Amino acid sequence: MKVKAVIFDLDGTLLNTLEDLADSCNAALKETGYPERSIEEIKNFVGNGLVLLMERALPAGRQNPDFNRAMESLRRHYANNWKNKTRAYPGIESLISKLNEQGIKTGIVSNKPDERVKDLAKLYFAPYISAECAVGEKEKEGIRKKPAPDSVFTVMKILGSSKENTVYVGDSDVDIETAANAGLPCISVTWGFRSRAFLLEHGAKHLADSCQDLIQVVENIF
């Protein structure tokens, strides 16, 4: 069976968003009177959306009486910082272009706010991935966050693909769980926010160390 669609995670897979997330999180922590976190700490906090990022970064998490204020501050700062330092990983644009040339459709799912995901898709991937095929957090509309498969199914429906010909690509344990919940094979990339060892410990079966590796795995995954 030939792959007809590849659905990508965003942060740590297509884009290195870590510095903008870290700057926004630390600005929020400073604004609410709490110690800033190191880039390595924040690297381990990301992957489940902004709410869990702040829950992990703020002492006592959601039990902290300042949680809502810190969360509001994080959203405000990230709304200003989302494209300051964010960059596509080397080779990503060429990778997506090659997939499209082979007739393979591409989409994005993320736990970031939906508006931001669409903004990033327009900014970095407009020739290849439409904003409609880039789906972020939309829980108010009944689309649960990853690792629930809802956003994946939404993009699959738009792309017109099925479980039998779709592959999921991500960089974290959340992505491995998401793919499993959607009934899709998962390719785990090692250039993102989690190490190869971590990915293997969390059940990764297909690994890619580079964009060229990824293309080869996609070609041979079924």
Side-chain angles (χ1 to χ4, degrees):
M1 174 70 71
K2 184 182 184 298
V3 173
K4 292 186 178 179
V6 176
I7 298 177
F8 292 93
D9 166 59
L10 187 62
D11 297 54
T13 301
L14 296 178
L15 299 178
N16 187 345
T17 57
L18 184 60
E19 289 187 78
D20 284 339
L21 287 166
D23 289 348
S24 302
C25 184
N26 280 329
L29 289 171
K30 184 176 180 180
E31 193 172 282
T32 46
Y34 293 94
E36 296 181 22
R37 296 289 197 159
S38 71
I39 195 82
E40 280 303 311
E41 285 179 308
I42 289 177
K43 186 176 182 180
N44 290 319
F45 295 160
V46 299
N48 294 84
L50 293 180
V51 173
L52 280 176
L53 167 58
M54 182 51 69
E55 181 178 334
R56 292 161 177 164
L58 188 69
R62 296 195 198 205
Q63 303 306 312
N64 190 309
D66 292 319
F67 178 80
N68 288 337
R69 190 160 63 94
M71 192 64 235
E72 181 183 341
S73 179
L74 171 57
R75 291 189 188 281
R76 185 175 70 254
H77 283 291
Y78 191 60
N80 292 325
N81 296 338
W82 63 274
K83 60 179 179 178
N84 291 351
K85 300 174 183 176
T86 289
R87 297 291 182 271
Y89 286 103
I92 288 295
E93 186 174 344
S94 176
L95 163 68
I96 297 175
S97 176
K98 286 178 182 176
L99 291 173
N100 287 177
E101 286 171 8
Q102 294 174 18
I104 299 173
K105 299 176 182 179
T106 48
I108 297 170
V109 294
S110 172
N111 280 341
K112 297 172 97 67
D114 185 67
E115 179 183 4
R116 203 87 301 131
V117 175
K118 286 175 167 43
D119 286 340
L120 288 164
K122 289 175 188 175
L123 184 61
Y124 290 98
F125 309 114
Y128 314 108
I129 301 176
S130 70
E132 182 188 27
C133 295
V135 175
E137 187 275 308
K138 298 172 74 172
E139 293 205 316
K140 289 182 180 178
E141 297 179 28
I143 299 174
R144 296 170 297 168
K145 290 192 298 184
K146 300 186 296 181
D150 303 24
S151 56
V152 176
F153 291 153
T154 299
V155 173
M156 285 171 62
K157 184 175 181 180
I158 295 168
L159 296 177
S161 66
S162 67
K163 293 181 182 181
E164 290 73 31
N165 55 34
T166 303
V167 175
Y168 184 95
V169 179
D171 74 306
S172 73
D173 52 322
V174 175
D175 294 310
I176 294 169
E177 288 182 59
T178 302
N181 290 337
L184 304 180
C186 181
I187 303 173
S188 300
V189 304
T190 61
W191 58 72
F193 299 160
R194 301 292 184 265
S195 68
R196 169 182 277 265
F198 179 94
L199 293 168
L200 288 170
E201 286 171 9
H202 287 80
K205 294 182 174 61
H206 306 281
L207 293 164
D209 296 320
S210 68
C211 289
Q212 187 56 46
D213 285 346
L214 183 54
I215 288 175
Q216 291 175 358
V217 178
V218 167
E219 290 174 347
N220 295 292
I221 201 161
F222 289 127

